[in-house]
């Protein structure tokens, strides 16, 4: 039983006992936690503070001595930069579509795998493999052997001369990301399916519920925590997508497939504009924090709901 | 249904199967129209990649992955213990802090990280990556391991305490045997994420400390002309994690779901 899953007030005895003990020996008890806490704070928070500091500076790396305070100018520039706004939109589209589609595909595959059949272990092994290959390898693989307009498999199968990467750059990138993340969603959903209580399912069939009814009334509610978790973890990683865009389209053609991580990278490492890319970084952090606050709340609610597993 | 499942599975992983096939082709067989399903297999591409400068990158990846995973366990196990079996005040705050660091976009920190690594001479060294991968994996690892530690029956610990067992004995005799599979699953996930990490590696390393994903970047400059060699390199680069993942897939499922949902 986790402390998080205990609704406040249901276990006053244990809580107060633990807390009393904790206050008596707080220092000693905190000791094992401190190294990890200090390490994570140092490595993750200090750079963000520096990003905040840089975002008020005009600073170009290739011009030594150019660093000076400019106040909010970088932020004004960011919000009037149409490429930034386009990249923001692309990021939202890419994240929402990829999470949704890979979750749906993952759920479908998990349902197919949640039955006994010949070669099930092998099929599962096959299906998780896209998650295990390097995303960089996957991206290059799709760019060449799948999407190439002359020799690619898609050209052969659909018999078209469509140049996927220049005509549908964002969709092509999303296809690769969905392919990469479906196995992860499938693994989590499968774990959820397999943790279902067999008695409840049997009881449902004894009561005469058909497959669909059972799925929607029993399986789906049980899965909801797993699906929420998959959504949250998937979104965290997919929002940061960089490999596929960097290796497949370089954000192009033009800025058609530029997302925020790629645009900030470009401003920083190709434009050497530290001030402006830092301001973008800060804006991204604030936006993420707003979204994450809602996501965290959802997650804690997911933790505290006991989905009928006891 | 079974046939449908098989067909869907093979369709889904077809790009991967195609990569494996292409890795054993001569370049002239790799791009043809129509694509060639049957050809005379060759090990030329595999041995070509191995004879090239692939091995130093592989060495860097292995070193960074192993050391950062060990560091995660070294820092994470005591923290998971403190947050589960001997909960300190503010456990919930500590946990949400750890989780919140995962939500901060890594791109927003890359500029200071670049400047800091440059000023401390860590740029293009494996140590910069080791520090960052440890910080990247630690929050998720603590979260996962904490839930595995919760599985240890409290009565067992109390009983051992009454018998006069001190913390090291308690850890070794009672706690470790119960949490070992969970710790292994956590380590596995850290290995996968470290091995496949691209953003830090591509921005903070170059020729000296480049990892396997950085090695693959070299292929985009050749405009996809060497498909067979690219496929061989992609296969070799992914193989270590693929093998680990295949053999440990049960742990992977358990680790992901239990670690996060419990």
């Amino acid at each position: 039983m986790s402390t998080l899953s205990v609704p406040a007030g249901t276990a006053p005895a244990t809580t107060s006992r633990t807390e009393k003990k904790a206050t008596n020996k707080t220092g000693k008890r905190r000791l094992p936690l401190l190294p990890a806490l200090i390490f994570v704070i140092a490595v993750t928070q200090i750079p963000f503070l520096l990003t905040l500091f840089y975002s008020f500076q005009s600073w170009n790396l290739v011009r030594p001595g150019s660093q000076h305070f400019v106040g909010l100018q970088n932020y004004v520039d960011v919000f009037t930069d149409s490429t930034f706004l386009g990249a923001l939109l692309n990021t939202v589209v890419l994240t929402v579509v990829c999470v949704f589609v890979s979750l749906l595909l993952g759920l479908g595959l998990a349902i197919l795998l949640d039955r006994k059949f010949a070669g099930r272990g092998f099929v599962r092994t096959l299906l998780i493999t896209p998650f295990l290959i390097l995303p960089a390898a996957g991206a290059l693989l799709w760019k060449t052997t799948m999407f190439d307009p002359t020799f690619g498999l898609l050209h052969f199968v659909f018999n078209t001369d469509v140049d996927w990467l220049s005509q549908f750059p964002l969709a092509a990138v999303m296809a690769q990301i969905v392919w990469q993340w479906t196995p992860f969603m499938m693994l989590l959903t499968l774990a959820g399916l397999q943790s279902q209580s067999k008695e409840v399912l049997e009881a449902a069939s004894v009561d005469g519920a058909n497959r669909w009814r059972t799925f929607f009334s029993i399986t789906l509610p049980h899965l909801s925590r797993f699906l929420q978790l998959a959504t949250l973890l998937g979104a965290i990683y997919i929002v940061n997508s960089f490999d596929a865009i960097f290796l497949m389209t370089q954000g192009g053609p033009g800025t058609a497939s530029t997302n925020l991580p790629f645009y900030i990278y470009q401003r920083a490492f190709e434009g050497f504009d530290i001030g402006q890319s830092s301001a973008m970084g800060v804006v991204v952090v604030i936006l993420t924090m707003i979204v994450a606050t809602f996501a965290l709340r959802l997650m804690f609610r997911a933790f505290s709901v006991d989905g009928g597993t006891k | 249904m079974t046939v449908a499942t098989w067909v869907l599975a093979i369709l889904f992983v077809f790009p991967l199967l195609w990569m494996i096939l292409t890795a054993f082709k001569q370049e002239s067989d790799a791009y043809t129209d129509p694509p060639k399903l049957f050809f005379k297999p060759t090990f030329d591409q595999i041995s070509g990649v191995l004879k090239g400068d692939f091995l130093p990158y592989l060495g860097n990846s292995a070193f960074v992955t192993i050391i950062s995973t060990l560091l995660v366990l070294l820092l994470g196990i005591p923290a998971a213990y403190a947050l589960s079996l001997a909960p300190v005040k503010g456990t919930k705050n500590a946990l949400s802090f750890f989780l919140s660091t995962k939500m901060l976009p890594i791109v927003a920190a890359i500029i200071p990280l670049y400047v800091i690594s440059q000023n401390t001479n860590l740029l293009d060294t494996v140590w910069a990556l080791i520090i960052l991968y440890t910080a990247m994996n630690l929050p998720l690892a603590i979260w996962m391991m904490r839930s595995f530690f919760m599985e240890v029956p409290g009565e067992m610990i109390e009983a051992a305490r009454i018998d006069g067992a001190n913390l090291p004995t308690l850890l070794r005799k009672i706690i470790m045997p119960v949490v070992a599979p969970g710790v292994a699953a956590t380590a596995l996930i850290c290995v996968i994420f470290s091995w496949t990490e691209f953003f830090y590696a591509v921005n903070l390393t170059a020729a000296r400390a480049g990892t396997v994903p950085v090695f693959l970047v070299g292929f985009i400059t050749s405009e996809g002309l060497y498909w067979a060699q690219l496929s061989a390199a992609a296969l070799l680069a992914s193989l270590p994690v693929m093998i680990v993942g295949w053999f440990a897939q049960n742990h992977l499922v358990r680790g992901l779901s239990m670690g996060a949902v419990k």
Side-chain angles (χ1 to χ4, degrees), chain B residues 2-26:
Chain B
T2 303
V3 176
T5 310
W6 270 90
V7 170
L8 272 177
I10 287 177
L11 263 180
F12 186 74
V13 292
F14 198 76
L16 194 72
L17 301 175
W18 193 248
M19 172 184 93
I20 296 170
L21 273 186
T22 313
F24 294 97
K25 284 179 178 175
Q26 296 290 1

Side-chain angles (χ1 to χ4, degrees), chain A residues 3 29-30 47 51 115 118 124-126 129 133-134 140-141 156 179 187 191 229 236 243 265 277 288 292 303, chain B residues 5-6 12-13 16 19 34 88-89 102-103 105 108 111-112 146 198 203 220 227 238 246 249-250 253 257 260:
Chain A
T3 26
R29 277 171 172 251
R30 285 240 170 107
T51 305
R115 301 171 301 122
R124 190 179 75 173
T125 304
L126 271 186
T129 311
I133 84 158
L134 291 188
L140 287 175
L141 174 73
F156 174 69
W179 182 72
L187 274 181
L229 177 77
I236 289 175
D243 320 20
Y265 157 84
S277 44
T288 313
F303 273 115
Chain B
T5 310
W6 270 90
F12 186 74
V13 292
L16 194 72
M19 172 184 93
V88 291
K89 241 183 159 182
K102 292 272 10 143
M103 301 198 178
I111 298 145
R146 174 179 175 272
F198 184 74
N203 286 313
I220 47 170
W227 285 16
S238 308
W246 285 338
Q249 48 179 299
N250 288 322
V253 176
S257 57

Side-chain angles (χ1 to χ4, degrees), chain B residues 19-103:
Chain B
M19 172 184 93
I20 296 170
L21 273 186
T22 313
F24 294 97
K25 284 179 178 175
Q26 296 290 1
E27 290 297 347
S28 56
D29 290 330
Y31 27 96
T32 54
D33 185 18
K36 266 189 197 168
L37 194 55
F38 299 99
F39 56 93
K40 194 163 158 273
T42 166
F43 281 94
D44 288 1
Q45 309 307 336
I46 303 271
S47 67
V49 171
L50 288 175
K51 273 188 214 132
D53 51 3
F54 176 67
L55 289 178
Y57 288 89
L58 190 76
N60 286 338
S61 268
F63 188 74
V64 168
T65 301
I66 291 167
I67 303 292
S68 72
T69 303
L70 288 178
L71 277 174
V72 166
L73 297 183
L74 193 71
L75 294 168
I77 291 176
Y81 171 80
L83 294 175
S84 56
L85 298 178
V88 291
K89 241 183 159 182
T91 292
K92 203 170 169 177
N93 290 339
L95 277 173
S96 28
F97 166 72
F98 280 126
L99 194 69
S100 71
T101 63
K102 292 272 10 143
M103 301 198 178

